[in-house]
Amino acid sequence: MVNAPDVELSLVVPVYNEAPSIDLFLVEAAPVLEAITPAWEVVFVNDGSRDGTLEAIIAAHGRDPRVKLIDLSRNFGKELALTAGLDHARGRAVIPMDVDLQDPVAVLPRLVDAWRGGADMVLAKRVDRKTDSLAKRWSATAFYGVLNRASTVDIPHNVGDFRLMDRKVVDALGSYRERERFMKGLFAHLGFRQAVVEYTRAPRAAGQSKFRFVRLWALGLEGIISFSTRPLKVWTYIGVAVAAVSLAYMVWIVVRTIIFGIDLPGYASLLTVMLFMNGLVLTGLGVIGEYVARIFSEVKGRPLYLVRGRLGVEDARGRS
């Protein structure tokens, strides 16, 4: 990682089909950044956009070279796009942000003040999520409740990617190179001295959310599997419980047969038990398969992402 002391503050902004939001974001962010320090940069990561996002970023770079670009070769997903931005950001402090301005730029000075006050990582915590749908709020609460019960790492609720990280924290995060990434979990795993800044989440400034239920489900599953082995361990207890019930039932059948004789067994009950047991076996195999699939992905050792082009940023020295 290139450590360039001339850049004090970096914003890392992954974008995918966000052409209408680029200029809106910069109009809001640039004055706030300028008031904090003139030594700032905004690193946009174009994650395979198919609209005019790339052209909008190039035009913005022409107006101000502190606006920079990492153009990925295809869509790798937000987690890897964010990783690419963090790998290339050069600031002494780095803040990942969404381009939709739901994370208000007015919060940036408060994050920087907490960092200058001695915190290595400053978490931006949402205290009001009225802009999210009821289903999304409910599912987020349920997910973090399950995840924190299963995981050995405490992942704060209502804290997303929006946060400030000191250079030493970003460099430490750069050593985490797993292919299947749940960034909120990785952030929590880092530790360091932390502070919390609360804020109210704003509506999107432009465009539409790219997250759908299937993608949220996949991300949630990734978080649980990446930071907990309990889904594997629980099947030991399920197996013991089912075996105990089966043994008790067997004893009851033997005793009943000895006392009352043999009667005709029920086909329906036998079929129900067989289907239930097969369902348990297949579910257990599915859980094992999720872990095996991630092992398969890791051992291939493919690059996390591929960069097609850059504007204003240096190579991450092969750490991609």
Side-chain angles (χ1 to χ4, degrees):
M1 173 65 66
V2 178
N3 187 0
D6 58 313
V7 179
E8 183 175 16
L9 182 60
S10 298
L11 298 189
V12 173
V13 188
V15 289
Y16 175 65
N17 292 342
E18 295 282 5
S21 301
I22 302 299
D23 289 340
L24 289 174
F25 177 83
L26 291 172
V27 166
E28 293 285 335
V32 176
L33 292 171
E34 199 69 38
I36 297 171
T37 173
W40 58 266
E41 66 176 5
V42 176
V43 181
F44 286 105
V45 184
N46 180 38
D47 190 22
S49 299
R50 295 190 296 268
D51 62 353
T53 298
L54 178 61
E55 292 75 14
I57 299 172
I58 293 173
H61 174 76
R63 295 190 297 268
D64 190 334
R66 291 176 295 183
V67 177
K68 302 175 181 181
L69 167 69
I70 303 167
D71 185 28
L72 301 185
S73 62
R74 62 170 176 83
N75 179 255
F76 285 88
K78 183 182 178 182
E79 306 295 287
L80 291 179
L82 179 56
T83 300
L86 294 172
D87 283 347
H88 290 80
R90 301 182 299 157
R92 289 192 290 266
V94 180
I95 302 178
M97 288 189 71
D98 289 339
V99 76
D100 56 20
L101 293 174
Q102 285 193 285
D103 301 327
V105 295
V107 180
L108 297 180
R110 296 166 58 198
L111 298 178
V112 173
D113 287 343
W115 168 62
R116 289 173 174 168
D120 297 319
M121 186 186 302
V122 187
L123 312 181
K125 183 176 181 179
R126 295 169 292 221
V127 295
D128 187 347
R129 299 188 60 163
K130 291 180 180 178
T131 56
D132 293 337
S133 66
L134 181 62
K136 188 172 182 179
R137 279 179 278 164
W138 177 86
S139 62
T141 301
F143 165 69
Y144 283 104
V146 171
L147 179 59
N148 284 325
R149 284 181 176 84
S151 174
T152 57
V153 178
D154 184 24
I155 300 177
H157 184 43
N158 283 333
V159 175
D161 298 329
F162 185 35
R163 65 188 66 211
L164 182 147
M165 292 176 285
D166 184 82
R167 166 51 50 191
K168 61 176 171 285
V169 178
V170 177
D171 289 342
L173 181 62
S175 65
Y176 290 57
R177 306 310 287 179
E178 54 254 53
R179 269 71 189 161
E180 304 292 336
R181 302 175 74 81
F182 179 64
M183 295 301 294
K184 297 175 185 64
L186 296 181
F187 290 145
H189 193 270
L190 287 167
F192 291 94
R193 291 175 297 177
Q194 299 186 6
V196 176
V197 169
E198 296 182 342
Y199 75 102
T200 300
R201 194 162 171 81
R204 281 185 65 96
Q208 296 180 344
S209 173
K210 305 302 184 296
F211 278 102
R212 297 294 182 266
F213 176 78
V214 174
R215 295 185 67 181
L216 290 173
W217 171 265
L219 185 62
L221 185 64
E222 186 60 50
I224 293 173
I225 292 176
S226 294
F227 288 89
S228 177
T229 57
R230 290 191 181 181
L232 285 174
K233 295 177 180 178
V234 73
W235 285 98
T236 300
Y237 301 103
I238 292 175
V240 170
V242 172
V245 172
S246 301
L247 179 62
Y249 183 69
M250 180 188 71
V251 171
W252 181 76
I253 290 293
V254 171
V255 171
R256 192 188 67 169
T257 302
I258 292 173
I259 296 175
F260 298 105
I262 301 174
D263 58 357
L264 183 65
Y267 173 77
S269 60
L270 179 62
L271 182 61
T272 300
V273 171
M274 289 179 62
L275 291 175
F276 174 72
M277 293 303 299
N278 286 338
L280 284 181
V281 170
L282 290 175
T283 303
L285 288 175
V287 172
I288 295 172
E290 291 288 346
Y291 284 89
V292 171
R294 281 151 182 80
I295 295 172
F296 178 64
S297 176
E298 292 296 324
V299 299
K300 286 186 291 188
R302 293 176 180 172
L304 298 186
Y305 55 84
L306 296 173
V307 176
R308 180 172 57 181
R310 301 176 180 85
L311 276 178
V313 296
E314 300 180 22
D315 194 340
R317 292 185 177 178
R319 287 201 346 192
S320 59

